[in-house]
Amino acid sequence: MSNSILIAENLSKNYFLGGQKITVLKDISLTINKGEFVVIAGSSGSGKTTLLSVLSGLDRPSSGKIILAGNDITDLTEDQLAPVRNDLTGFVFQAFHLIPSLNGIENIMFPAELKKDSNARNKAQILLDQVGLAHRGNNFPEQLSGGEQQRVAICRALINDPEIVFADEPTGNLDSENSEGIIKILLDLHKDRQMTLVIATHSRSLASRADRIVLLHDGRIQEGS
């Protein structure tokens, strides 16, 4: 049985701006194994966020193929793709993307409630405990610091026990102290749960702890990464 959790073959991604084609990703092939911690690195504009979005099914490639946990998700409709994303993946955004009208525990529960998981609240509370926010579950996002909001976002990404977690610059909006706290949480969860973790980051501290660094330059993977 293959140890691969994600296989990308010859991915390209184009956008059209004012009638002009802009190619952001160029012929990318990449395999990520179960339990691996991979950092996607590169300068601003190298295509990190786009690659993460395409690999996770949040965006579609213009060409190429994506196999996620044995499922070819390349040509799935949005209705077919939504439950696959909810069941198999978790995503942590740089800007948190919490729902303002929901408190912390309700934000975490949201993906589990989409699956009609009757144990959603208990799972959310356990996750809050794990990240040191047991006392903040009833607070709304505007009442939480940036570091606290990102910890809630990490819990939300984990609520459905995903096969793979993607994170896009998870420390990008945080100060150094909060950044180190988030890095520790992610690494502890990776170790404790043996979960596959794919992070796009500028953080040298985070990249230095990865199993592998994939370096992007102008939408291509650099040789040797």
Side-chain angles (χ1 to χ4, degrees):
M1 181 179 291
S2 172
N3 195 39
S4 303
I5 186 69
L6 187 141
I7 301 171
E9 298 177 355
N10 307 115
L11 295 182
S12 294
K13 180 64 180 178
N14 306 315
Y15 294 101
F16 289 88
L17 187 62
Q20 181 180 2
K21 184 170 84 168
I22 298 171
T23 301
V24 182
L25 301 178
K26 305 166 186 174
D27 195 31
I28 285 180
S29 294
L30 176 66
T31 298
I32 295 172
N33 292 323
K34 294 175 183 176
E36 193 174 18
F37 171 23
V38 177
V39 157
I40 309 292
S43 60
S44 295
S46 61
K48 298 190 303 297
T49 294
T50 301
L51 178 58
L52 218 62
S53 296
V54 170
L55 292 177
S56 64
L58 288 177
D59 199 358
R60 295 178 181 277
S62 300
S63 60
K65 179 186 287 190
I66 301 170
I67 309 295
L68 178 61
N71 302 279
D72 187 343
I73 68 169
T74 314
D75 296 319
L76 296 184
T77 66
E78 185 58 32
D79 284 347
Q80 293 170 327
L81 194 55
V84 171
R85 285 195 303 251
N86 200 41
D87 290 347
L88 298 180
T89 73
F91 205 106
V92 181
F93 300 90
Q94 179 178 350
F96 319 137
H97 289 317
L98 300 179
I99 301 170
S101 59
L102 301 182
N103 64 27
I105 200 162
E106 289 167 344
N107 264 283
I108 297 167
M109 291 168 57
F110 186 70
E113 290 186 317
L114 291 176
K115 294 179 64 175
K116 296 180 170 54
D117 185 345
S118 61
N119 201 32
R121 182 170 291 274
N122 184 51
K123 287 182 178 179
Q125 190 61 59
I126 290 171
L127 285 166
L128 276 174
D129 291 346
Q130 283 186 285
V131 300
L133 286 181
H135 61 300
R136 301 289 266 161
N138 291 324
N139 291 94
F140 290 86
E142 65 178 13
Q143 298 170 319
L144 301 173
S145 69
E148 288 170 335
Q149 288 187 64
Q150 193 61 297
R151 280 186 271 171
V152 169
I154 290 169
C155 292
R156 179 183 59 188
L158 296 175
I159 188 72
N160 285 337
D161 296 316
E163 297 274 349
I164 184 169
V165 172
F166 300 89
D168 184 18
E169 295 285 2
T171 62
N173 284 339
L174 305 176
D175 59 31
S176 58
E177 182 179 353
N178 275 304
S179 293
E180 279 303 313
I182 292 301
I183 289 171
K184 184 179 186 308
I185 286 169
L186 287 169
L187 294 181
D188 286 349
L189 289 166
H190 166 66
K191 180 180 178 181
D192 294 344
R193 291 172 172 245
Q194 298 183 323
M195 70 182 186
T196 310
L197 190 58
V198 184
I199 300 181
T201 184
H202 281 105
S203 169
R204 292 184 180 181
S205 176
L206 190 50
S208 69
R209 303 177 216 189
D211 297 321
R212 178 161 52 115
I213 298 173
V214 175
L215 184 61
L216 283 187
H217 179 69
D218 288 340
R220 295 185 187 275
I221 293 178
Q222 295 289 89
E223 288 187 19
S225 66

